[in-house]
Amino acid sequence: DTAVSQTPKYLVTQMGNDKSIKCEQNLGHDTMYWYKQDSKKFLKIMFSYNNKELIINETVPNRFSPKSPDKAHLNLHINSLELGDSAVYFCASSPLGGGYNEQFFGPGTRLTVL
Amino acid sequence: ELKVEQNPLFLSMQEGKNYTIYCNYSTTSDRLYWYRQDPGKSLESLFVLLSNGAVKQEGRLMASLDTKARLSTLHITAAVHDLSATYFCAVEGNTPLVFGKGTRLSVIA
């Protein structure tokens, strides 16, 4: 009954490859996010989707493309992987309404690019 | 652009001692969140502070928010080893959340 789940947990791949990370939430939330946490633990938002529509797209290379087939899923596809893409990627979700934006995070996907 | 600063970034404290982590932010907001992250794990929501003067307590942790000073504090009382983790504050501005760099807390015997 995991609230926000991600697959895979670990991903090791070569430079130049294309890979995807999947995220699903069963909380009934309307908004989902992708964050990148670098080696210094700095957490930065990449994308935000509200009910399948992109609402935030921070300065992220266009090799990164989010896809939301429905409001419970937000996948992240990365083309032509580079060494600098190595990081932990977290998916999160939050409800609309309630007047605030508490986010619930998935377990993370540790991506290593060799 | 909203900026969030935490200090200290690293904190080593003895069991039983008290300490405070500070979170300053640069633009007006009345919504602030504290998260905990254990090594290799995800972020866990600790506190949601939604108004000036809000104070929340859970066990040995107490968080407060002063929106006029643009400051939140996370106070640790009588630290125990289980509190060792990285603590993040996050502020809601025009983008959903902007996170501080985190405070890595180590509680030692």
Side-chain angles (χ1 to χ4, degrees):
Chain A
D1 60 344
T2 305
V4 183
S5 59
Q6 292 178 231
T7 54
K9 190 168 173 60
Y10 300 96
L11 186 52
V12 181
T13 188
Q14 300 285 335
M15 272 197 316
N17 284 350
D18 303 338
K19 290 293 178 186
S20 292
I21 306 171
K22 296 186 176 182
C23 177
E24 177 181 0
Q25 55 96 1
N26 62 6
L27 297 167
H29 289 168
D30 296 287
T31 309
M32 296 183 72
Y33 312 85
W34 278 109
Y35 286 87
K36 179 180 180 179
Q37 187 173 44
D38 62 24
S39 58
K40 295 182 179 178
K41 302 297 184 189
F42 186 55
L43 201 66
K44 187 168 182 185
I45 191 166
M46 301 173 69
F47 301 103
S48 172
Y49 264 74
N50 183 12
N51 203 9
K52 300 195 300 175
E53 289 189 20
L54 180 66
I55 56 172
I56 287 177
N57 181 0
E58 293 294 307
T59 308
V60 174
N62 58 14
R63 298 181 294 104
F64 290 80
S65 54
K67 286 188 172 52
S68 181
D70 55 61
K71 75 173 194 177
H73 296 84
L74 181 61
N75 304 323
L76 183 65
H77 189 76
I78 315 169
N79 288 329
S80 303
L81 278 154
E82 300 177 357
L83 292 177
D85 297 333
S86 295
V88 180
Y89 292 84
F90 286 100
C91 176
S93 71
S94 67
L96 265 185
Y100 61 97
N101 188 26
E102 183 181 14
Q103 296 185 17
F104 297 82
F105 285 78
T109 296
R110 183 175 294 274
L111 171 65
T112 303
V113 183
L114 304 174
Chain B
E1 181 189 348
L2 173 59
K3 294 189 187 305
V4 180
E5 288 190 5
Q6 282 182 242
N7 68 84
L9 297 183
F10 297 93
L11 176 57
S12 180
M13 57 188 297
Q14 285 188 312
E15 281 187 329
K17 298 291 188 184
N18 304 334
Y19 208 84
T20 300
I21 299 170
Y22 297 88
C23 175
N24 291 92
Y25 53 98
S26 62
T27 64
T28 302
S29 176
D30 57 2
R31 299 177 192 176
L32 190 139
Y33 309 81
W34 283 96
Y35 287 87
R36 168 180 172 148
Q37 185 179 34
D38 291 302
K41 302 290 186 182
S42 186
L43 281 82
E44 173 192 353
S45 179
L46 290 176
F47 298 110
V48 177
L49 302 170
L50 299 176
S51 61
N52 186 38
V55 177
K56 296 269 182 86
Q57 181 159 8
E58 179 74 33
R60 300 174 188 274
L61 299 177
M62 183 171 72
S64 65
L65 178 61
D66 181 343
T67 60
K68 293 179 182 177
R70 298 177 187 166
L71 170 69
S72 179
T73 60
L74 181 65
H75 187 73
I76 303 154
T77 301
V80 293
H81 183 261
D82 285 353
L83 291 179
S84 296
T86 300
Y87 293 85
F88 291 92
C89 65
V91 180
E92 192 172 339
N94 290 332
T95 55
L97 287 182
V98 176
F99 281 78
K101 291 186 176 181
T103 296
R104 191 173 298 182
L105 171 65
S106 295
V107 181
I108 55 178

